Amino acid sequence: FFFSSRRRHTRCSGVSWARRCVQETDWESIYSSCDETNIYEWLVTYADIQPEIQKYVRSTDKILVLGCGNSRLSEDLYDDNFKNIYNIDISSTVIEQMRLRNLQRLSMEFSVQDVKSLEFESNLFDVAIDKATCDSIMCSKQPYMEIASMLKEVQRCLKVGGFYIMIT
């Protein structure tokens, strides 16, 4: 399914996140400049999409969260009994922050990966969730080529009959 929202819940040091995205694509710098109290919920919260997630995703599904950032989405999914969650982000800084923040969520995985070149085997995931990752890639120099590469990789990693959930 596809979920679109006009709401944006993002602020960092008083600077609009969307404006920073266009001007600054260095995610390491962005996440390094913010402390652990700055949690960015792009577009929607889990509560906003929970009914749709529960409609399409089973608690036993292997879920890939693309460009997890420091959103609470994965934590909220986990706390809602979705335990097989693999989070990736291009920023090693945010992945380390998320690992530390989620030590008690034992089965949640985090790894530094580029969505355009995933290190996972083919046909591994039942669900891939993209919460504003595509939006972020639109800030790049070659957005359409990079989005095509991302979608090709996600399709490769999804099982036949799997779901790609895009929130934009």
Side-chain angles (χ1 to χ4, degrees), residues 84-114:
N84 298 317
I85 304 171
Y86 297 76
N87 299 280
I88 65 164
D89 200 282
I90 199 164
S91 168
S92 59
T93 299
V94 81
I95 288 296
E96 186 57 26
Q97 290 170 355
M98 292 295 282
R99 269 194 193 113
L100 293 173
R101 199 168 90 194
N102 289 284
L103 290 174
Q104 75 282 9
R105 293 177 177 92
L106 302 177
S107 63
M108 194 181 303
E109 300 282 334
F110 294 93
S111 65
V112 177
Q113 292 194 41
D114 184 334

Side-chain angles (χ1 to χ4, degrees), residues 15-86:
V15 177
S16 165
W17 189 271
R19 190 170 30 231
R20 270 187 91 174
C21 173
V22 172
Q23 296 173 354
E24 182 179 358
T25 56
D26 180 2
W27 292 104
E28 291 299 326
S29 174
I30 291 169
Y31 286 117
S32 295
S33 68
C34 301
D35 64 32
E36 63 277 353
T37 62
N38 297 109
I39 295 176
Y40 302 103
E41 289 303 339
W42 289 75
L43 308 176
V44 295
T45 66
Y46 178 65
D48 296 324
I49 60 172
Q50 184 179 21
E52 294 300 316
I53 295 290
Q54 290 178 337
K55 185 187 303 184
Y56 293 100
V57 183
R58 297 175 307 241
S59 63
T60 56
D61 284 347
K62 278 190 178 178
I63 302 168
L64 174 61
V65 178
L66 303 160
C68 65
N70 68 0
S71 165
R72 287 200 40 86
L73 175 64
S74 298
E75 296 160 326
D76 291 341
L77 282 164
Y78 190 95
D79 294 346
D80 199 20
N81 206 33
F82 298 99
K83 304 297 185 197
N84 298 317
I85 304 171
Y86 297 76

